[in-house]
Amino acid sequence: MLFRSQQLLGRLCDAAIERGAERIFAMVRDDGDGAPVLRQLSFAPVTRELTYVLPVGGTTEGASASSTPPVLGLRRQERSDAFAVHQLYRATTPPVVQLAEARRPQSWEPPRTRFGALPRVARGAPGRRWVVVRDDRVVGWASLSVARRGGHHVSLMIEPSDPGLAASLVAVATEMARRTRGAPVFVSIRDHQWPEREALEANGFRPYETNVLMMKQLALAVPSARRTLAPAIERVVS
């Protein structure tokens, strides 16, 4: 079984190289058998991802819109906010993780599908993604993926200088998810996101699972470069 797993992963890496990929990522359970197998194929751990869950019937502090004051600077994310969200990512993410992921500002653009098109979402819902803008800077970001089956999923990114903002965004995203369908709400954060972690634990979320993000740097196949360099090398040698 181990040999077959290594063989399959090796073929996947070869296929990624043929398609021009520079790196390949894998997410495995922290307590599982996948990480040792990946290490033998030169995968290196990048960061840990912690997933928390709020079961159906669970409540967050201030989850009711009537008792929660408006979050200062909260609005729906626009496509033009992508660069500002990327700056928040750069300010809150360890350099080693940034280097491995090599994310670009375009990766933070919101999906084109309108959140309001989903059924049973109250009018005026902020949308799938939110930003918190203060002093012309994005200091908070949240993303909500609503599932027709299973649990909803929330992602958060908060500037550490305002840890109270994490609890507010957790409440907002949870309320929006519950308006569509009663289901567990999952939130995934990185190991370095301490404000978000403390906010989740203080608001009724409990640990669900821990995964490790691993990455392998691939050797690029450049046949065109070889064809160009070979005649030049021959001329130099001769």
Side-chain angles (χ1 to χ4, degrees), residues 62 74 82 94 157 161 216:
L74 176 67
M157 190 162 52
S161 61
K216 175 182 174 67

Side-chain angles (χ1 to χ4, degrees), residues 119-135:
R120 295 184 293 173
V121 176
R123 292 182 179 274
R128 281 186 182 271
R129 297 188 183 186
W130 303 266
V131 291
V132 178
V133 182
R134 295 175 183 172
D135 298 327

Side-chain angles (χ1 to χ4, degrees), residues 87-117:
Q87 293 300 104
L88 176 63
Y89 166 80
R90 288 173 57 87
T92 59
T93 305
V96 64
V97 179
Q98 295 184 43
L99 183 63
E101 293 186 310
R103 299 194 68 160
R104 298 181 179 180
Q106 294 85 346
S107 67
W108 299 104
E109 292 181 356
R112 296 183 182 275
T113 303
R114 294 185 58 188
F115 187 82

Side-chain angles (χ1 to χ4, degrees), residues 184-235:
V185 179
F186 294 90
V187 181
S188 295
I189 58 174
R190 299 291 179 79
D191 201 22
H192 59 270
Q193 294 181 274
W194 284 100
E196 293 89 330
R197 183 175 183 175
E198 293 175 353
L200 290 170
E201 294 176 350
N203 282 278
F205 283 80
R206 63 170 186 248
Y208 180 74
E209 67 178 13
T210 301
N211 294 307
V212 179
L213 177 64
M214 305 188 73
M215 187 268 289
K216 175 182 174 67
Q217 188 71 38
L218 300 176
L220 293 180
V222 285
S224 59
R226 290 173 184 169
R227 289 194 297 269
T228 303
L229 290 174
I233 293 175
E234 291 175 357
R235 287 195 298 269

Side-chain angles (χ1 to χ4, degrees), residues 131-208:
V131 291
V132 178
V133 182
R134 295 175 183 172
D135 298 327
D136 297 324
R137 295 186 305 110
V138 171
V139 297
W141 174 86
S143 173
L144 168 63
S145 298
V146 177
R148 294 182 179 180
R149 297 181 179 179
H152 308 307
H153 193 277
V154 174
S155 298
L156 296 170
M157 190 162 52
I158 309 294
E159 190 174 85
S161 61
D162 189 358
L165 181 58
S168 299
L169 282 182
V170 167
V172 168
T174 302
E175 176 65 16
M176 289 300 107
R178 293 280 170 83
R179 288 186 187 183
T180 62
R181 181 176 61 84
V185 179
F186 294 90
V187 181
S188 295
I189 58 174
R190 299 291 179 79
D191 201 22
H192 59 270
Q193 294 181 274
W194 284 100
E196 293 89 330
R197 183 175 183 175
E198 293 175 353
L200 290 170
E201 294 176 350
N203 282 278
F205 283 80
R206 63 170 186 248
Y208 180 74

